Amino acid sequence: MSRERGRPAPLTPSERVAAVPESGIRRFFELAAEMDDVVSLGVGEPDFAAPYRAREAAIDSLQRGKTSYTANRGMSPLRERIAAHIERYDLSYDPETEILVTAGASEAIDAAFRALVNPGDTVAVAQPSYVSYEPGVKFAGGEVLRVPTRADDEFVLTRERLAAAGAAEADLLVYCYPNNPTGATMDREELAEVAAFCRDNNLGVLADEIYAALTYEGEHTSIASLPGMRERTVVFNGFSKAYAMTGLRLGYALGPPDIIEAMNRVHQYTMLSAPTTAQYAAIEALDNCEDDVAEMCTQYDRRRNFVLSRLDEMGIDCFEATGAFYVFPEAPGGDADAFAEALLEDQQVAVVPGTAFGAGGEGHLRMSYASSLEDLRTAMNRIERFLA
Ligand code: PLP
């Protein structure tokens, strides 16, 4: 809108941005921040610090004065290590042309939407899901088609759910497994159905696999490793979750050369290069921190079992989450927002209502078990008291 046509002030948020609501998670945290003695199962980040050696590598790089930009696509030695690392998921990507290192997976997701979405294109978003996809699509000028998954299907995406939502008409599909917020994972057979649907209807796929390393039962499968999928898929991954490096802001995208080139076009003008210090930390993480990742996984798995068994004891229905660090139980009484607010006020336990994560989240609560066992024990005891 030009000023002549009545722009209210010289600085006015664009209609595109103004139309995107504030994150439902944030509102809840502001409430919790004003209270004392809150046990929070609300945050989606590891309670661990990054592995010691990775931190040392970051410090060492600073001491050596490595404070310049790197190549736009990320340092070559890092891209080479990423290429070697993802072979465990049967993925083979050329570090020169098919890998882009970004400021967190968040930047990779945003760059993918901007590189792939034309105004008016439709992006099917499997939900409940991580909160950034819908705004990302809208910032890029696309339309969102919500594809709900349900507790009855253990929150996996199925051909039927995709078809029922009208996803055959969409241009792209975005999802994350292991899933935030449900903790659901999808095995090879289940993914093969989704892959067939995407091939049959000529959809591109954006697969957010940032929790791949946090898979507690079976092995993580990447949809890009299935027949006919590599050329239509961009995979996102990163260091925030598996390596407890959220604040270092480092992620990456894998995809066909022309798409990585297009994403790099966005990245080189908006970010230039991912944080240099974090890239040094990531090289060390990939070279020498697998034991740390394994230890964190063991701890998460122990906590997962503890939380699931306590919820079961309390009679709260919850399907068995097998990945990431979330459980997604039903809210007793059915109204998740009311339950979460009352629980916070009455017992100072913060959980997030499932509605914050879109369609399919109604009547559920997201609880993160990336907290110490002691905090989890306190939280579960308080929930029990609240129910009594
Ligand atoms: N994708 C999912 C599914 C997430 O849960 C998150 C963070 O919570 C991100 C991406 C963002 O990750 P990063 O810290 O790498 O930007």
Side-chain angles (χ1 to χ4, degrees):
M1 226 195 307
S2 75
R3 197 183 303 212
E4 294 70 45
R5 278 186 281 133
R7 194 176 172 98
L11 295 178
T12 308
S14 71
E15 286 164 21
R16 199 175 272 182
V17 169
V20 171
E22 199 186 28
S23 160
I25 303 186
R26 185 106 333 262
R27 190 184 72 81
F28 222 74
F29 282 113
E30 276 157 16
L31 273 178
E34 288 166 11
M35 303 172 86
D36 292 329
D37 189 31
V38 172
V39 181
S40 178
L41 308 186
V43 289
E45 70 174 327
D47 59 318
F48 301 106
Y52 187 74
R53 292 186 67 137
R55 283 181 274 152
E56 271 200 327
I59 294 166
D60 177 62
S61 74
L62 289 170
Q63 283 178 334
R64 287 185 294 121
K66 303 291 184 191
T67 52
S68 312
Y69 297 128
T70 69
N72 291 144
R73 288 167 182 244
M75 289 161 56
S76 279
L78 175 57
R79 279 181 280 138
E80 279 159 20
R81 282 163 175 86
I82 290 169
H85 175 80
I86 55 172
E87 280 175 9
R88 67 186 59 192
Y89 304 125
D90 282 333
L91 297 176
S92 169
Y93 284 85
D94 178 358
E96 282 297 309
T97 57
E98 297 183 317
I99 298 179
L100 178 67
V101 178
T102 53
S106 302
E107 195 224 336
I109 295 165
D110 180 63
F113 287 139
R114 287 203 264 171
L116 290 165
V117 174
N118 284 308
D121 279 0
T122 299
V123 182
V125 181
Q127 293 187 334
S129 75
Y130 178 52
V131 294
S132 290
Y133 307 140
E134 275 205 29
V137 171
K138 290 180 186 159
F139 292 151
E143 306 287 334
V144 169
L145 176 78
R146 296 173 159 197
V147 183
T149 63
R150 300 282 172 200
D152 307 342
D153 300 324
E154 310 223 306
F155 291 107
V156 300
L157 190 56
T158 62
R159 205 185 165 99
E160 289 71 34
R161 295 266 177 228
L162 283 161
E169 302 300 318
D171 300 286
L172 293 167
L173 166 69
V174 59
Y175 70 74
C176 63
Y177 287 98
N179 183 270
N180 173 9
T182 64
T185 54
M186 284 184 66
D187 64 23
R188 180 170 293 271
E189 245 168 57
E190 290 162 338
L191 280 171
E193 256 194 46
V194 172
F197 181 90
C198 293
R199 283 194 307 267
D200 293 350
N201 296 289
N202 201 27
L203 263 73
V205 178
L206 306 181
D208 185 346
E209 301 185 1
I210 194 160
Y211 293 99
L214 306 182
T215 299
Y216 308 108
E217 287 174 23
E219 302 275 305
H220 172 74
T221 302
S222 174
I223 198 165
S225 70
L226 301 181
M229 293 309 290
R230 191 183 189 284
E231 58 268 33
R232 62 174 70 244
T233 303
V234 177
V235 176
F236 308 117
N237 206 328
F239 294 86
S240 285
K241 313 295 174 171
Y243 297 91
M245 281 170 48
T246 45
L248 293 182
R249 312 304 306 125
L250 205 68
Y252 53 90
L254 315 169
D258 56 330
I259 303 307
I260 291 297
E261 168 59 30
M263 287 173 62
N264 188 39
R265 191 88 49 88
V266 176
H267 169 80
Q268 71 188 186
Y269 288 119
T270 53
M271 191 59 61
L272 232 158
S273 60
T276 303
T277 313
Q279 294 190 53
Y280 281 100
I283 288 174
E284 181 65 20
L286 291 176
D287 278 352
N288 287 312
C289 299
E290 282 308 295
D291 289 351
D292 301 75
V293 176
E295 176 54 28
M296 288 189 271
C297 266
T298 304
Q299 297 290 337
Y300 291 136
D301 195 20
R302 195 169 292 157
R303 297 164 183 190
R304 176 180 73 101
N305 286 316
F306 169 75
V307 170
L308 285 172
S309 79
R310 285 293 279 123
L311 292 173
D312 187 47
E313 272 170 26
M314 288 184 244
I316 299 179
D317 265 340
C318 186
F319 88 100
E320 194 179 333
T322 48
F325 36 56
Y326 310 101
V327 291
F328 204 60
E330 282 181 19
D335 184 338
D337 288 79
F339 183 91
E341 253 179 87
L343 178 66
L344 182 60
E345 267 170 31
D346 201 72
Q347 292 291 331
Q348 294 77 52
V349 176
V351 298
V352 185
T355 37
F357 305 97
E362 312 82 15
H364 288 262
L365 303 165
R366 186 188 79 170
M367 298 180 183
S368 160
Y369 50 86
S371 299
S372 68
L373 258 184
E374 195 188 333
D375 278 357
L376 292 172
R377 210 166 273 129
T378 307
M380 292 300 132
N381 290 343
R382 289 185 186 184
I383 292 172
E384 193 160 48
R385 221 176 295 146
F386 180 67
L387 291 175

